[in-house]
Amino acid sequence: MYKRNKISVVVPCYNEETQISLVIETMPEYVDRIIIIDDCSDDNTVQIIESFVQNDDRIVFIKHDINKGVGGSIETGYIWARDHGMDVAVVMAGDAQ
């Protein structure tokens, strides 16, 4: 929480096995929800994210059944944030950019 606002970060991911750990590990403590959307990765992205889910209750992990592209992933994350009462939603790329 930051200044009484619930903060969420939407993280669209597609084949980000080399960088997704850095994204999660460096997320500021004031972020209430890390909404990670996997867009049908075919590398080890899902397994890496799932290993973090067990230890960080801020992570909301959503997997697309079909690839929707980065825009579709961001939309999915924004909808989740809206529907779950987040006050602020921002985007951070799954490759830590």
Side-chain angles (χ1 to χ4, degrees):
M1 189 163 287
Y2 182 76
K3 294 186 178 182
R4 295 186 290 199
N5 289 303
K6 292 185 274 184
I7 309 296
S8 61
V9 176
V10 175
V11 183
C13 291
Y14 178 75
N15 291 343
E16 302 296 354
E17 70 181 2
T18 63
Q19 296 293 83
I20 192 62
S21 295
L22 178 65
V23 172
I24 296 168
E25 290 168 347
T26 60
M27 196 64 63
E29 289 297 317
Y30 60 80
V31 172
D32 297 290
R33 292 288 181 262
I34 307 167
I35 308 165
I36 303 174
I37 307 354
D38 178 69
D39 202 29
C40 301
S41 295
D42 57 12
D43 64 357
N44 291 316
T45 299
V46 169
Q47 292 84 353
I48 293 167
I49 296 166
E50 287 175 340
S51 72
F52 280 95
V53 168
Q54 299 171 14
N55 299 313
D56 191 337
D57 61 357
R58 299 179 304 162
I59 297 174
V60 174
F61 186 32
I62 301 169
K63 294 185 246 180
H64 281 167
D65 294 331
I66 59 169
N67 185 290
K68 296 181 180 183
V70 68
S73 295
I74 292 169
E75 178 184 25
T76 297
Y78 280 166
I79 290 169
W80 190 97
R82 179 200 64 202
D83 292 349
H84 290 85
M86 297 289 107
D87 298 307
V88 176
V90 298
V91 175
M92 180 172 183
D95 63 358
Q97 289 189 32

